[in-house]
Structures are given as structure tokens and as C-alpha cells.
Amino acid sequence: MRSRALLPAAATVVVVAASALAAARISIDHDIAHLLPDTDPALVQGAKALRSFLERTVVDVGSEDGSHSLELLGEVADRFAAELVASGTVLRARARLGVEDALELVDFVRERAPLFTPASAWPAIEARLEHEAVLSAVETLERRIQEPDGAVLARHAGSDPLGLAGFALAPLASIAAGPPGARLVDGRLASAGEDHVLVLVEPGFPASDLARTEEFLAAFDRIAADLAREPAYRGVALHQVGAHRSSKDNERQIRRDLKLTMSFGAGLILAITYLCFGRLRLVVLAQLPALVGGVITLGVFSLFQGSIAAPILGFGTVLIGLTIDYAVHVLTGLRKEHGPGLPELAMFLGALTTSVACLLLRGSALPGIREVGLFGSIGVLVAAAFAILVLPSLRPLLGQPGRPLVDLERLVARAPRPRRAAWIALGATPLLALGAARLEFDGDVRNLSSLSPAAAADEQLVRRVWGSAEVSTLLVEAPGLQAALEANDELAAWLERARADGLVEGHASIAGILPSLRTQEERARRWRAFWTAERRQALAGSLHDAAERTHFRSDAFAPFLAALEGTPGRLEPADVQGGPAAALVGDRLVQDGERWRVLTPVFTSGTEQLARLGERLRAEQPEVAVVNKKALMRQVAALVSGELAGLGLLAFAVVAAIVFVWLGEPLLTGVIVLPLALGLLWTLGILGWAGEKLNLVNAVFVVFLFGVAIDYSIYVATGYLQRFRTGVDRTAEMRASVLLCALTTCAGFGTMALAGHPVLHSIGMIAGVGIASATLAAQVFVPVCCQALLRSRLPDAPLSEEELRGPGWHRLVARLYRHRGAFVQHYAASKARRDPLVFALPELCPGTGRILVVGCGYGIMTARLAMAFPAREIVALDPDERKLAVARAALDGRAAVRFLAEDVRAYADPAPCEWVLLVDVLHYWDEAAQGEILRSVHGRMGPGSRLVFRDGCAGAGTGNRIVHAAEALARATGFTRMSGRMLFHTEDGWRRLLSACGFRVESSHPELGLLSNLVLVCSRSNDP
Amino acid sequence: VKLLALLFAALLLQEGAPRFLEGPERERFLDELEARMSARKTVAAEFEQEKALALFEDTVKSSGAILFQAPDKLRWEIRAPFQSILVVAGDDVSKFEFVRGEKRPLELGRGKDPLHLVMSRIRGWFLGKFERGEKTYRVRVAREPVPLVVLEPAEEGLRKNLTAIEVTLTPALDAVSRVVVRERGGDRTTMVFHEKRRDVVIPAAYFDLADPRTLDLEALLASRENARR
């Protein structure tokens, strides 16, 4: 027997072990992109572009006292970059665009001028070919060559005396653009004061790869320390800013925080549960549902995906962690040795509502939130199922229940009546609503980051030195490289017009160095068409004249004239990516599967100009996405806050609907849902007044609050309902259980408010405040509302004639059954209104003598009789104790009415009854039993006694079939707990049976029988 | 006799060739040079420039004046055969040309950074600061027969066009006397500086990036502030 009881536990062990094995294969993904939306294409593109920026690291090499030369700083930067690359921990580190690179780049473009000369340049080129203009240009060239920077001009004077390559080279200036305010000095990005230079580091792996990040940061620290030790570099400091450092800082902070909060929280939970349970075993068992839920859910996830995002795992675990509540409820019940009943139903309902609320998160635009929803939904249901179905089977492991050191139940029972507290809380609600209106949503993911003081100082320094200008990125995407480059060419041309119109301050399009093949071919065609033989001949003449007027040799410009005759071969992307412009193009051209993205940084003077740019782009270049980190974060914030508000309302509606289906009436639903709304409002209000903000992470916790608050409400309300419906008072126990749950949850999550990490702190705050609010609402409002609603509706005074027989008589009967269960109250209301026999009973059973109701069920007819004859003795029998409990509660223990769980055949009271009701009973029995019952009834009747008999008739009529079907349904649904075959007789058959059992039919009342029911009033046949 | 004559000539050449310093001697020379040059607050000099380029039929000559004020102001003015002014102050640079005697600023555009780079290099010569890291140039120094700093391009791209920059200094290591820029293909630019007076007072107006004051070197030197010196 004991081994059978442990069977569910053994099965769970097997499932958990299998899930653990499967879950071991799942890897943890630290990618923050899970927190960014994936449903809006523009935001998806933005997020992708943002990620490429987020993965860069910038190293500032600066003079601490401004005394170091730019040359020395450059030397440090070069050494640092070289040693960092040599360490093998990063892909690339660039301290400068060397002179070599710059010259090569210029030569690269010069040699291919026909491919880079834009169409817009030709009118200007034509103007330069005028004879006088050529003479002037050559004279100027001669002068310029003599100036200090003339060497470069001299180098190209022979091949380009008129500076025509300038049109091709023009876009190059913007490609190498760095932060505004920085300047390119000797190939380096130097600060305005020339006391800082930048090194750009591309680690080549995501910041979420913590192992490699650690190696990179260790190499950075080691190299920086080595450099600092060199006397020549004393006073030169290296400051780094980037996602990798931030990622590592966050990991360290979270580790520290978790150590603190988990040890503190776990200690508190253990202490609280031990104090309240008094046994360590119970404390351990209380953790099992969450553990089982987590492992099985991970196992399920592993069947469909190979990895799970760290934030999802974290949130999901927190969600499942809430299921410790179910264990607390079950263990509290087990300690009290209660059998199964309403609390289990309440737990199931609580788990269902929490699970559905989680499932609604699947509607989120953020993949992370969607997965949290699924993870939580599965986990909560599994944990609740374990708590309800398996945990009780572990009862043998509990041993003797311990004596609690703190008796919460007694504490709750002695608490003052909550009515005053409810009024105070209601009074404070408008004030808290004002606080909720003040609550802001902060969508900036940067504020979710916890930087070490050193990193924060470095970030401030970099921002101070290099400015924080508004840099945005325009993004074109297309299937195939050439299609993307063509779109980028169009965008670059558009940007030039936008710059002329004052929409942008500048841009760094790679179109100038990597035009599409189509653009190249167009340019080459135009070049060939322009440089006709006549035009070249005329130019040669002008140049000859110019040379004669200056010191130039007569054949000095021959290379230039020769170059005009042809065009170079087309430029392939590989030529650029492998050439001197590789570093410039590299991170602005991104391949993503079959698609290619081209990124163009644009500089604007502020948000207003950016807004105008975005507006114009949407109108004229709708396929181009504008990515601005701040704007993107604002968009994400707006999307998430709107979405959470929508999902919150939906969750509220769905939860209310589930509760309504359970309770079957709006008032009680309101009693349970109202604290949920109030608790949420108070939470948001307190957070608003405390200056806290909702963010992408803690906003999800609002859903957790839904789950917690509704569970608390349901559980407390269930206690009151149970007392109202069955008379068993476990309200104090259930409120104590809820209080214990709240204390453990607060201990578990509220302690996170002590954390230094903003995310953990914000979760701790919202959890602490939210759970306290939900508990207060559940402990104050639910009892007050329940006490107001759940009271006896039995009239104290005898009913008037109007009340007894007037049009509203059935409502008086139905009222007795209000709040006694969704089915019962509707059944009772329907029965009273539709069953003509119920109405007729007072007239049918006149007198003052005892009435015996055989098979009274929920006692609806008994109630009608009791209301009609308050002083008359009524004995109601039914074998179904469940129904009797409802009937007793409905009649509120009226002294004249006794409900007995007895079979009439065994009913021993010999006192005769004036009236016996045998309504819709006999067909559940076989013929022999029907005879026995009738004879027993006969034995309870004295002279003048009457039997009201009703039952369905056998036959082929529609009415018969409906009666049979209804009875079959009642048995199938458990409404009627009778087994065996039903036996209906024909009207003659019933009459024969009654006659055989000593009854004489006095009258027949077909108007009181529904469908095929036969209603007969009988007397004893041996009566005179 | 011919052999002896050749040997003699070789000895003479050997005697005139610079003896480049290595290791600590080189560092000491550079330290001393930087210290002495840095002691100078200003420089006011005239210069003559000769450009012997393959592009030109003959050597093209020009002349002008320079003003330098430590640490970051430099004015380079060509007076003949045409007139132009280049001014660099701090991070900025401006350029003016004269059309029919009238000074006009030039829009430098993307040419600003390269110009600033060149002027910063020249500024560095007058401060006695030469790159020791050998990233861009390999710096060779000689004390005899005349103090000399030779900058040989270290970067491949620079080497394609430039052979060397030779900066000849005064024996006291306190002024630049001549600079020769040698380019591939035999092109050569020679600048000879004639310092007029040391540590003259130069009003800021001469380095005004927007409108530099017209320079009359004689008048500047004869000005009241400088006459007192």
C-alpha cells in the first residue's frame, strides 16, 4: 500500500532524471539581442546595426597632465595595439590610418578615376578645360608645388595637372570620418587638445562570450600595466570603453550580488519556513516543486532548441521559484492532515491563471519575453501539478508534524478585523494612483548595465574628451552584394543632396570607395563619351601653351593625356576589401546569409535635425532604415511599455474570465480580481513616488505579480468560500499559508533590492513592493468583501403570501444558493424557476406535521418547504454528503430542518411523517430496491400521511428520451453519484409498483411533472 | 698618379661624409638638440627655396620669410616670385594667396589635414623634436662634419615617393640652417634659412588665422619691443 502511494513520486524521479539528462545538452546564450524586438522590421534592422556598434571597444590613450606630446601618445597607442593583436585575444586593433594607407588609398582612387568620377562632376570638368582656365590652373599648380605641401601635388602634376581626380577623391574625406570634434593628425584620431589619441579594437567575438572576453580584458590590463611601468610613458593612461568590458563588469557585479542576495534570501527563507513549519524536512520538501518544474521545463525546451538565453533562464527560474507557494499550501494542509478538497482546486486555479498570464507573453514583440512566457507557463503548471499530485504522496517522509515556533495561523486569527485597514488602504489609493502616473518607463538598455567605478570613470572621460555627438547609422539591405551596393549608391547621392539642404552635417558612405558595378559602368561609359579625340586634342594644345608660360617641361603632362584615352577594368569588392580601404569598408559592409547590409554613419547636430532627416527619409527613401541608438531605445521603450500595458490588460481580462468561469458569477469574481488591480496600482504608485523606473526587465516582473496576486486572492477567497459552503472554517489557516508564501517570496526576491546591479535592484524593488501590496490587498480586501458577500440569505421572519407565491418567489429560493458554487447556484436558480413541483410544494403538502424528503440532493425542495413552513419539522435524507453540506449551509442550520446522510431503508427514526417526498429517486435503483424503498417509506407513514411521488416514465416519446438523457448526463458528470442501471417504468408500471408496496394513488398532477415525469399523490392503501 | 688622385679624392669625400651616431650617442644628440631648440621661444628668418624637379625645365627658385613661436605657431610666407601665406596655430591652419596684390583666403577643404600634417612636421623641426619610434621615419643623426638629422621614410608608401629629408642644424644646435627633401626619381627641394635675430617678440596678429598681419621682417625686428632687446 505504501509502495503504491509512492508510485507518483517514483515516476516523477524518472521524468526529472530524463529531463535533467536532456537539459544538460542545452547551452546558455548570453546574447542581449533577446531583449530587443524582432517583429518590427525597422527595429530588427536597427537592432542588428546596433549590435555591430555595441561589439566595438574604443581605447583612449591620454596624457594625464597634458604634458605628453601627440607623438609619444601615438607611440604608446601603436605599442598597445601591436601587443594586443600579438596577444591573440582580439581580431584587430587599429591605432592609426598610416600615411602609407592614406597615400595608397589616394593612389588607388586616382588610378581608377573614371570609375569614381560622379556624373555631377562633368559640367565642372568641362569648365576646367577652357583654354584660359587651363593656363590659370597650370600656373597655380606651379605656385602650389613651391609651397610646403607641394610635394604631393608635384607627384601627381604630370598625371593630373587640372586636379580632375579631386572629383573622384572628394568622397574619401568623409569615409574616414571619426567622432565629431576629433581630427585626423598624422593618420591618428586625435582629440582637439592633441592630448588623447584613439585605438579602435575589434575583438571579433561577441561580448557575451565571457571566457574570451576575460582573456581579452586580462591581456588589456597586462599590456596597460607593462606600458605604465616604462619610465618614458609615465603619466600616459589607457582607458577603454566597450561592450566587452561592460559585459564582464556586469557579470562580476551579478555574481557578487547573487552571492549576497541568494545567501541572505535563502537563509531568510529557510529561517521563515523552519519557524513556521517547525521541521527541517518540510523546509526541504517545500523547494521540490520549483526544482522539478525547472528541470522538466528545461528538458522540454531541450527537445526543441539547443540553447536558452541567460535572461530567459533567469526570469523563468524566478517565475518557477514562485511555485514554492504551492508547496507551502500543500504542506500546510498535510500538517493539518486535511484530505483533498478546495485548496487543491484553488492551487490548480492559481497555477492555471499564472500559467495563462505567462502564456500571454507569447504576444510580445521581444523574443526574450516570449520565451520567458513559455518557460514560465510550462514550469508553473509542472510545479503546481507536482505539488498537488505528487507532494501528498511523500507524506510518509514527513514523519510527525513539528510544532511551529511561530504560529502564523494564530497570529492571523488574532489580527484585528480588516475593515478599518481596508478603508485606510482605499483612502490611500488615489494618492498612490498619482504615484503610478509619475512612474516612467526607461527603455535604455545602457541603464540596465552595471559598470565598475573604473569603467564608469573611463566612460565619462571618453565622453568628455571625444564628445557625445549625435551619430546615427543609415542602413540599406538587399539580397546580394551588388543590389545592396546599388541601393547604397542611391543613398549616397541622396545624402549629398540632404547635406546641401542642411538635413545632415556629414556622412561616411562607402559609396565613394566601393561603388556598385552598375555605377562603375555608367561612369566609365560617361568618361569615354566625354573624352572625344577632339576634346583631348584641344586640351593638349592648351596644356602645351601653359607649359610654355611656366617652368613645366613641354611633355610634362603626357601621362595625363594618355590616361584620358581609356578606362580601367571594373573594380570588384574583393579589390577594395583586400586593398588600402579594407579597414574603412570592413565594418560597414555586413553579410547576413544571402543578404547584405551597407551601413552609413551620418552626423547630425541634434535630435531635431535627426527627426527631420528621418521624416524626409521615410518620404523619399522608405527602404532605408535610420538607426540611432538613443532613438532606437526610445522606440523599444515605447513599444515595450505599450505592449506590456496591452498584455497586462489582456492578462487581467483573461484571468478575470477564468475566475468567472470557476465562480460563475461576477460579484465573487470581482472580489478576487479587485485586489489584483489594487495591488498592482499600489505597487506602481509606491514605485512612482520612490522615483524608481520600470525598465525592460522589471516590467516583465509585473506579470509575475499578476500570478502572485491572483494566487493569494484565490487562496484566501477559497478559505472563506469553503467556510460558507461547507461550514468548515480554514480561513485562518489559508490566510496564514498565504502570509507564509508572501514572506518566503519577499525573502527570495525582495532581498534583490540590496543588489548593486540595477536590474537585480529593480527586480527586488518591484518584487518586494509588489508582493507586499498583493499580500495586503489579499489579506484585507478579500476577507472584507467575502464577509460582506458570503452570508446567509435565509429570511428570519415567515414569508408573506406575496413572497411565497408572488412572481419573485423562486428568487428567494435561488438566493439561498448564491456563492455556493457556479453549478449549484445556477442549478438551484433554474430548478426553482422551471420545476413546477417546487412552486407547488407548499400547497401540495399542507399541515404542520413532519415531512420526510427522500433523496433531497441540494435541498431545493426542502428549502421551499422550510421557507413556507418555518416551524415545521423536516427530515431530508440523501446518501451524497457533498450535496447535503451545501443544503445544510444554504439553510444555515435551521433547527427544524435536519439533513441526514442516510438511506431511507436504514433510517431508524420511527416517528411517523405527515408527508413524504420521493421525487426523482426511484429510477436509480433496480426493481427490488425500488420496492424496498417504497416499503420503507410506507413504514414511515402514519394514518393520513401522503406520499408525493415523481419519476420519469419509460417509453418511446421525446419527453422520455430527454429525461433519460438528462439523468445519464447527471451521472456521467458526477452530479449524481449513483451507479448501476437506471430503471424507469411506464405510468402503469409505477402505479402497479406503488400499489404492490401498499400505496393508493389519490391524485395525479401531470402539470407538476416536466416532460415525461409522472407526479402522483398517494396514501397508504390500508388507510380508511 | 691617377690611382693616387682617386684615393685622395676618396679620402676627401670620406672626410666630408656625415658620421652617423648610433645608440646612446644618437639619443644624447637628440636630447641635446631638443633641449637647445626648445630653449628658443621664437624664430624669425628668411629662406630661399630651390626645386629641382623632373617636371620642370629648370630649377625653380622662390624665397620668403618664416616666423615661429613655440610651441605651436608657424607662419610660412613666400614673397617671390609670387606671394602666399600659410599660418598654422594649434590645430588649425589657413592659407592666403594674393591676386593683384590683394590677400585672399583659400578654402582648404579636404586639403586642410594634409597641410596641417606638413606644417606640424616643419613646426617639429623648429622645436627640435624628431620621431624616435621610427614608425614613419627612421631618424639618423650626425654631429660632424655639420650637425645633421636625416629622416628616412620607414613606411612603404612613403618610401615609394620620398628618399630622405635632411635637416642641417647650426653648430650650436639651436637653429635649422638648411633642409633638403629628396624624392624618388631625383627630384630635390632645398630650403636655406637665414635667421635674422633670436627670440624676437612676435605680435599675435602675425599668426592670426583669419587675417594675418602683413609681414615686414625688417620693421618687425626694428619694432620698439625688439629694438629694446
Side-chain angles (χ1 to χ4, degrees):
Chain A
M1 188 69 190
R2 182 175 168 152
S3 61
R4 185 178 289 180
L6 287 174
L7 206 60
T12 306
V13 169
V14 173
V15 174
V16 168
S19 300
L21 275 177
R25 293 182 304 142
I26 213 164
S27 61
I28 294 175
D29 179 1
H30 292 267
D31 197 340
I32 62 151
H34 294 281
L35 291 175
L36 296 171
D38 68 348
T39 50
D40 183 333
L43 285 180
V44 170
Q45 278 194 323
K48 281 179 182 170
L50 187 65
R51 284 177 67 185
S52 65
F53 286 114
L54 286 174
E55 297 295 348
R56 284 182 190 166
T57 286
V58 169
V59 177
D60 169 277
V61 180
S63 171
E64 287 180 334
D65 56 6
S67 67
H68 300 81
S69 67
L70 186 65
E71 195 180 12
L72 183 89
L73 295 175
E75 195 177 308
V76 177
D78 288 340
R79 276 195 55 184
F80 166 75
E83 288 181 28
L84 190 63
V85 171
S87 74
T89 58
V90 299
L91 178 68
R92 205 175 288 136
R94 193 151 49 99
R96 69 189 304 195
L97 175 68
V99 174
E100 177 189 359
D101 300 328
L103 291 176
E104 262 193 69
L105 190 58
V106 168
D107 288 346
F108 182 86
V109 175
R110 277 183 180 282
E111 285 162 14
R112 295 165 180 81
L115 307 181
F116 289 103
T117 304
S120 58
W122 290 109
I125 291 174
E126 193 162 16
R128 286 195 190 183
L129 304 185
E130 299 283 335
H131 185 71
E132 285 305 314
V134 171
L135 296 182
S136 170
V138 172
E139 282 170 2
T140 303
L141 179 65
E142 186 190 47
R143 286 203 303 274
R144 295 273 181 278
I145 286 174
Q146 294 176 69
E147 289 174 345
D149 57 334
V152 178
L153 276 176
R155 216 155 33 235
H156 299 294
S159 58
D160 186 20
L162 305 182
L164 301 187
F167 295 106
L169 286 166
L172 276 189
S174 63
I175 295 176
R183 46 181 301 125
L184 205 60
V185 180
D186 200 9
R188 299 184 191 287
L189 279 175
S191 65
E194 290 193 8
D195 51 356
H196 291 262
V197 295
L198 275 189
V199 179
L200 301 176
V201 179
E202 287 175 53
F205 55 88
S208 53
D209 186 341
L210 292 173
R212 292 180 70 185
T213 296
E214 190 152 3
E215 285 172 14
F216 155 48
L217 295 176
F220 176 93
D221 290 342
R222 181 176 44 75
I223 296 166
D226 287 349
L227 290 171
R229 271 194 291 274
E230 292 195 21
Y233 301 151
R234 195 158 291 151
V236 177
L238 272 68
H239 309 276
Q240 64 152 317
V241 175
H244 292 75
R245 187 185 193 183
S246 157
S247 175
K248 194 65 198 165
D249 274 3
N250 275 285
E251 194 237 2
R252 285 188 189 128
Q253 182 65 47
I254 288 174
R255 212 179 273 275
R256 270 198 301 272
D257 284 342
L258 286 183
K259 217 178 276 181
L260 168 77
T261 57
M262 281 184 76
S263 52
F264 188 47
L268 263 179
I269 289 175
L270 288 175
I272 291 168
T273 42
Y274 184 73
L275 284 172
C276 297
F277 282 148
R279 283 188 76 83
L280 206 58
R281 286 181 198 181
L282 285 169
V283 176
V284 176
L285 282 175
Q287 322 300 323
L288 278 182
L291 188 69
V292 170
V295 173
I296 291 180
T297 308
L298 259 185
V300 171
F301 261 61
S302 72
L303 297 178
F304 302 101
Q305 54 194 58
S307 67
I308 186 164
I312 294 159
L313 189 60
F315 292 137
T317 309
V318 166
L319 249 177
I320 297 171
L322 298 177
T323 58
I324 190 176
D325 292 5
Y326 305 135
V328 168
H329 295 321
V330 170
L331 293 172
T332 304
L334 287 180
R335 282 181 66 249
K336 294 265 180 178
E337 300 189 345
H338 292 308
L342 267 180
E344 283 71 26
L345 179 64
M347 274 186 278
F348 169 72
L349 199 69
L352 184 68
T353 48
T354 308
S355 183
V356 168
C358 287
L359 210 54
L360 287 174
L361 291 179
R362 297 290 293 167
S364 169
L366 275 64
I369 292 184
R370 289 202 300 274
E371 282 200 39
V372 167
L374 188 63
F375 194 92
S377 182
I378 297 173
V380 165
L381 275 186
V382 172
F386 176 84
I388 296 168
L389 303 174
V390 182
L391 211 50
S393 70
L394 300 179
R395 188 190 180 86
L397 299 178
L398 296 181
Q400 290 300 312
R403 182 183 175 80
L405 301 172
V406 175
D407 192 343
L408 279 183
E409 194 176 326
R410 189 189 291 177
L411 215 66
V412 168
R414 284 183 180 175
R417 293 178 71 82
R419 196 179 295 266
R420 183 179 296 175
W423 280 116
I424 293 171
L426 267 182
T429 300
L431 190 66
L432 291 171
L434 284 178
R438 286 164 53 98
L439 190 65
E440 288 176 30
F441 189 89
D442 180 3
D444 195 339
V445 287
R446 288 173 303 180
N447 295 338
L448 303 181
S449 180
S450 172
L451 293 181
S452 62
D458 281 3
E459 202 165 274
Q460 268 190 342
L461 179 137
V462 168
R463 203 168 290 159
R464 179 170 52 77
V465 172
W466 301 97
S468 50
E470 197 76 31
V471 184
S472 309
T473 299
L474 303 188
L475 192 144
V476 291
E477 186 173 318
L481 174 59
Q482 284 307 321
L485 290 176
E486 284 168 17
N488 190 51
D489 288 343
E490 282 177 29
L491 175 63
W494 188 90
L495 276 171
E496 282 306 311
R497 291 195 297 276
R499 176 154 55 182
D501 293 348
L503 286 171
V504 291
E505 298 299 310
H507 66 89
S509 174
I510 62 166
I513 190 68
L514 184 55
S516 67
L517 290 179
R518 192 176 72 183
T519 302
Q520 290 178 42
E521 280 157 14
E522 276 173 18
R523 288 173 178 173
R525 198 168 48 246
R526 206 170 278 124
W527 179 280
R528 285 191 294 271
F530 182 83
W531 289 115
T532 58
E534 294 76 29
R535 196 169 256 148
R536 280 186 278 121
Q537 201 172 350
L539 179 59
S542 297
L543 286 171
H544 182 267
D545 291 351
E548 286 205 329
R549 290 171 60 163
T550 58
H551 290 90
F552 284 103
R553 298 162 65 100
S554 57
D555 60 350
F557 308 121
F560 170 59
L561 292 167
L564 299 179
E565 290 180 32
T567 51
R570 65 186 196 175
L571 180 67
E572 297 290 346
D575 298 333
V576 175
Q577 287 170 314
L584 299 176
V585 171
D587 56 355
R588 295 178 199 174
L589 189 61
V590 184
Q591 186 175 10
D592 185 3
E594 293 295 308
R595 299 188 72 79
W596 284 80
R597 285 195 297 278
V598 187
L599 280 59
T600 302
V602 292
F603 308 107
T604 48
S605 59
T607 46
E608 195 184 320
Q609 194 181 31
L610 178 65
R612 281 192 287 131
L613 173 68
E615 203 173 299
R616 183 78 76 84
L617 269 172
R618 275 192 294 281
E620 297 176 11
Q621 300 277 323
E623 70 287 357
V624 176
V626 187
V627 183
N628 177 275
K629 204 152 69 173
K630 288 182 198 163
L632 183 72
M633 287 305 122
R634 278 196 297 272
Q635 269 178 288
V636 171
L639 177 79
V640 173
S641 58
E643 178 186 281
L644 282 176
L647 286 178
L649 283 174
L650 185 62
F652 190 82
V654 171
V655 163
I658 292 173
V659 175
F660 179 77
V661 167
W662 172 50
L663 296 172
E665 55 155 324
L667 264 179
L668 265 182
T669 303
V671 167
I672 287 179
V673 170
L674 175 72
L676 175 66
L678 281 175
L680 202 60
L681 184 67
W682 295 346
T683 306
L684 299 181
I686 293 168
L687 291 177
W689 285 117
E692 292 284 329
K693 288 181 180 175
L694 281 184
N695 55 46
L696 287 169
V697 179
N698 68 8
V700 182
F701 215 86
V702 172
V703 179
F704 302 180
L705 287 179
F706 259 101
V708 170
I710 198 74
D711 283 5
Y712 291 174
S713 280
I714 288 173
Y715 210 69
V716 172
T718 300
Y720 283 89
L721 277 173
Q722 191 181 29
R723 185 177 74 178
F724 178 68
R725 290 172 182 173
T726 66
V728 179
D729 189 358
R730 287 173 63 188
T731 51
E733 174 197 321
M734 294 176 88
R735 285 176 64 195
S737 187
V738 164
L739 191 57
L740 178 56
C741 291
L743 288 172
T744 52
T745 310
C746 265
F749 303 114
T751 46
M752 284 186 188
L754 303 174
H757 195 282
V759 169
L760 296 181
H761 171 78
S762 67
I763 287 178
M765 283 297 291
I766 202 165
V769 175
I771 289 163
S773 301
T775 310
L776 187 69
Q779 296 278 0
V780 169
F781 280 97
V782 175
V784 169
C785 295
C786 282
Q787 281 164 2
L789 275 180
L790 307 179
R791 55 189 168 81
S792 171
R793 308 281 170 169
L794 191 65
D796 295 328
L799 297 181
S800 66
E801 191 58 25
E802 172 62 21
E803 285 171 325
L804 196 60
R805 293 191 175 79
W809 71 270
H810 58 87
R811 288 194 198 97
L812 290 174
V813 176
R815 273 177 57 182
L816 302 180
Y817 292 88
R818 275 183 79 179
H819 313 312
R820 300 197 184 275
F823 175 79
V824 171
Q825 72 174 35
H826 290 296
Y827 171 75
S830 172
K831 179 104 177 152
R833 193 167 63 247
R834 296 185 197 287
D835 192 339
L837 183 58
V838 179
F839 174 74
L841 278 176
E843 281 186 6
L844 205 60
C845 310
T848 55
R850 186 190 229 193
I851 301 174
L852 176 67
V853 183
V854 179
C856 66
Y858 289 111
I860 296 161
M861 292 190 181
T862 312
R864 172 71 172 155
L865 289 168
M867 289 169 89
F869 310 113
R872 199 166 174 185
E873 185 186 1
I874 303 172
V875 177
L877 308 179
D878 200 286
D880 192 340
E881 185 62 66
R882 186 181 48 123
K883 288 182 179 172
L884 286 181
V886 174
R888 281 192 201 103
L891 287 171
D892 199 26
R894 179 167 283 198
V897 183
R898 282 183 295 150
F899 288 98
L900 303 173
E902 287 199 46
D903 189 322
V904 69
R905 290 168 291 182
Y907 179 52
D909 189 346
C913 304
E914 186 178 2
W915 285 88
V916 178
L917 264 61
L918 189 63
V919 177
D920 304 338
V921 172
L922 281 189
H923 60 267
Y924 292 116
W925 309 92
D926 59 23
E927 192 152 4
Q930 286 175 347
E932 287 171 17
I933 291 169
L934 281 173
R935 280 189 285 276
S936 295
V937 168
H938 190 274
R940 301 285 176 278
M941 293 168 67
S945 294
R946 293 288 184 274
L947 165 70
V948 177
F949 171 82
R950 185 173 83 176
D951 220 312
C953 292
T958 309
N960 296 344
R961 280 202 298 275
I962 292 174
V963 169
H964 291 188
E967 289 294 348
L969 184 67
R971 284 168 55 147
T973 55
F975 174 72
T976 302
R977 292 182 177 175
M978 298 295 291
S979 56
R981 203 171 62 85
M982 289 187 292
L983 178 62
F984 291 94
H985 298 284
T986 59
E987 183 175 347
D988 287 346
W990 286 122
R991 284 177 183 269
R992 273 199 302 276
L993 182 62
L994 284 165
S995 176
C997 294
F999 290 98
R1000 182 174 63 233
V1001 175
E1002 294 286 335
S1003 58
S1004 172
H1005 301 269
E1007 75 283 4
L1008 302 180
L1010 287 169
L1011 301 168
S1012 67
N1013 279 323
L1014 173 71
V1015 180
L1016 303 170
V1017 175
C1018 311
S1019 61
R1020 295 195 311 176
S1021 54
N1022 51 351
D1023 280 353
Chain B
V1 174
K2 278 184 180 176
L3 189 64
L4 281 172
L6 276 173
L7 278 171
F8 184 68
L11 277 171
L12 275 179
L13 283 174
Q14 182 69 28
E15 187 65 26
R19 284 200 295 277
F20 290 108
L21 306 176
E22 299 290 338
E25 274 192 306
R26 171 182 175 271
E27 293 303 309
R28 268 199 301 278
F29 176 87
L30 285 170
D31 289 344
E32 187 185 344
L33 175 63
E34 189 171 341
R36 295 200 179 194
M37 296 285 276
S38 301
R40 307 279 308 278
K41 299 297 171 218
T42 60
V43 173
E46 288 181 335
F47 72 84
E48 288 150 8
Q49 178 180 270
E50 290 185 2
K51 278 203 176 269
L53 310 182
L55 278 173
F56 292 151
E57 288 279 6
D58 48 12
T59 299
V60 176
K61 293 180 182 175
S62 57
S63 61
I66 63 149
L67 295 176
F68 170 74
Q69 182 175 300
D72 61 0
K73 291 191 173 72
L74 176 68
R75 172 173 172 142
W76 185 284
E77 182 168 334
I78 296 175
R79 293 173 167 180
F82 61 95
Q83 201 177 352
S84 77
I85 303 171
L86 276 161
V87 180
V88 59
D91 295 324
D92 215 347
V93 62
S94 62
K95 190 172 181 178
F96 301 86
E97 64 176 4
F98 287 78
V99 179
R100 287 182 288 277
E102 191 185 331
K103 185 173 65 187
R104 283 187 189 164
L106 278 177
E107 182 60 50
L108 293 174
R110 65 190 170 83
K112 197 167 189 170
D113 279 340
L115 180 58
H116 187 267
L117 176 67
V118 170
M119 295 299 279
S120 298
R121 290 252 165 87
I122 296 173
R123 204 163 52 177
W125 301 343
F126 286 101
L127 283 168
K129 286 184 176 176
F130 295 92
E131 183 192 341
R132 300 190 198 196
E134 302 195 345
K135 291 285 177 193
T136 312
Y137 294 101
R138 180 181 169 219
V139 181
R140 302 174 76 200
V141 299
R143 203 179 279 274
E144 292 174 345
V146 288
L148 178 70
V149 176
V150 180
L151 305 171
E152 292 173 345
E155 286 184 349
E156 185 61 35
L158 266 182
R159 270 209 301 270
K160 275 187 204 164
N161 303 302
L162 185 68
T163 308
I165 299 171
E166 298 165 5
V167 182
T168 306
L169 304 141
T170 56
L173 294 184
D174 59 355
V176 176
S177 60
R178 192 168 75 142
V179 174
V180 180
V181 180
R182 297 182 189 278
E183 296 189 50
R184 296 277 170 203
D187 286 359
R188 189 183 72 248
T189 300
T190 306
M191 289 166 271
V192 178
F193 299 93
H194 306 285
E195 193 169 355
K196 304 300 284 186
R197 196 192 295 172
R198 298 188 169 190
D199 288 335
V200 294
V201 176
I202 306 173
Y206 288 101
F207 299 107
D208 186 347
L209 285 160
D211 184 18
R213 182 190 290 180
T214 304
L215 174 64
D216 180 341
L217 202 54
E218 294 303 327
L220 173 67
L221 297 175
S223 66
R224 199 164 38 180
E225 299 93 329
N226 288 314
R228 275 205 298 269
R229 291 170 166 252

